[in-house]
Amino acid sequence: EDIHLPSVMVSASIINELGRMTRKSCSGVIVHRQMVVSAGHCFCAPRSPKDEDRTPQRSGAGTAASSPGGRAEKRRVTRASALKNVSLTSIVDGKSLCATTATVTTVRYTSTTSGTASKPEILDHTGEVVLHPAFELITGHRGHSRGVVWSNSDLAVILLKEPLVATLPWLELTEAEVQAGDAITMVGYSSGDDSSPVYGARHFGVNRVSRLIHLETGSSVFRAEEQQMPGGAAAPHTQGGDSGGACVK
């Protein structure tokens, strides 16, 4: 169905440290006729950590500070505390091998001549990938826990060579800060559930923001961890291929 048309598929070819080329597929969202926003890690190959990678690339705000109005700011997570007692396994950042171009695939449905059904209109568009300058994603393990231990500014934009058709809508970015308890619709192209077992089917579902994590860099991360919505329906969660997809408030 033509719901959440600004949500698109993005893909890029990346050469890793071993010289092997891989194709990564993620999701994205149109924010302008010539601009798509996605996740930075969708366009870069993980690199091996070095000793200097434990040193913060920028100074932070510490843990708690006083605002000009005299109110204490919320405690912020520092990079140093996130990496404490962690064995680093990989890093994705501006020093990684990254794709410079990407393909954006738009999907919309058009009526058939009989008017009783619809068929997908799938178009590919190419553009230049620009990573957020502060992008950094680190994976590692602490004890038995493994996974992402630090993520900051995991964003990229794709500047399209040609503007999209005027009839294809884009999503306006909100100026309001996200709050715990906000209902959000997550849209992506992952394999989803049994009804869409392959990458390439657009799907969406509602969850709620459960908590906010404020970083020393000034960024904030929000988690959507609800297992069940107030009405009793199961809350959806993101899966592989949903990275970079839209969260619509």
Side-chain angles (χ1 to χ4, degrees):
E1 296 180 4
D2 273 347
I3 300 176
H4 297 295
L5 276 177
S7 294
V8 297
M9 289 179 274
V10 300
S11 58
S13 295
I14 306 167
I15 299 177
N16 62 23
E17 291 179 316
L18 300 177
R20 297 173 182 170
M21 179 175 289
T22 58
R23 189 76 174 171
K24 295 188 73 171
S25 298
C26 289
S27 302
V29 59
I30 305 169
V31 297
H32 183 273
R33 286 184 65 194
Q34 278 188 268
M35 183 181 292
V36 170
V37 174
S38 187
H41 73 264
C42 293
F43 308 101
C44 299
R47 64 178 179 84
S48 301
K50 299 179 180 179
D51 291 339
E52 58 265 28
D53 289 321
R54 282 196 168 272
T55 304
Q57 298 179 8
R58 54 186 292 184
S59 60
T63 54
S66 296
S67 64
R71 294 180 296 124
E73 294 183 354
K74 293 182 179 179
R75 185 171 297 275
R76 298 179 182 272
V77 176
T78 67
R79 185 181 186 275
S81 64
L83 301 187
K84 186 177 182 180
N85 299 324
V86 171
S87 297
L88 307 186
T89 54
S90 69
I91 296 179
V92 190
D93 60 6
K95 300 177 184 178
S96 302
L97 295 171
C98 302
T100 57
T101 60
T103 299
V104 172
T105 303
T106 57
V107 183
R108 62 193 306 177
Y109 292 86
T110 58
S111 300
T112 60
T113 54
S114 64
T116 57
S118 61
K119 59 180 180 180
E121 179 185 87
I122 303 174
L123 298 175
D124 287 339
H125 317 266
T126 58
E128 175 190 2
V129 177
V130 180
L131 295 172
H132 192 291
F135 162 51
E136 186 180 37
L137 186 148
I138 303 177
T139 61
H141 58 87
R142 181 190 290 113
H144 298 293
S145 177
R146 299 171 180 265
V148 175
V149 294
W150 173 259
S151 177
N152 181 64
S153 302
D154 187 2
L155 295 167
V157 295
I158 304 171
L159 304 177
L160 300 176
K161 293 182 178 180
E162 300 292 338
L164 299 170
V165 294
T167 54
L168 196 62
W170 63 77
L171 196 68
E172 292 187 8
L173 299 179
T174 180
E175 295 183 2
E177 293 290 341
V178 67
Q179 302 292 331
D182 284 348
I184 54 171
T185 300
M186 302 183 293
V187 191
Y189 284 87
S190 74
S191 57
D193 53 25
D194 294 338
S195 63
S196 55
V198 296
Y199 172 77
R202 185 168 62 228
H203 60 96
F204 56 93
V206 178
N207 204 318
R208 286 188 179 275
V209 176
S210 56
R211 59 193 175 108
L212 298 175
I213 302 172
H214 302 281
L215 307 181
E216 65 172 344
T217 58
S219 296
S220 295
V221 178
F222 68 83
R223 303 284 190 187
E225 301 165 315
E226 297 295 334
Q227 300 299 313
Q228 194 174 49
M229 298 305 292
H237 296 83
T238 56
Q239 301 180 52
D242 285 332
S243 292
C247 283
V248 185
K249 182 178 176 182

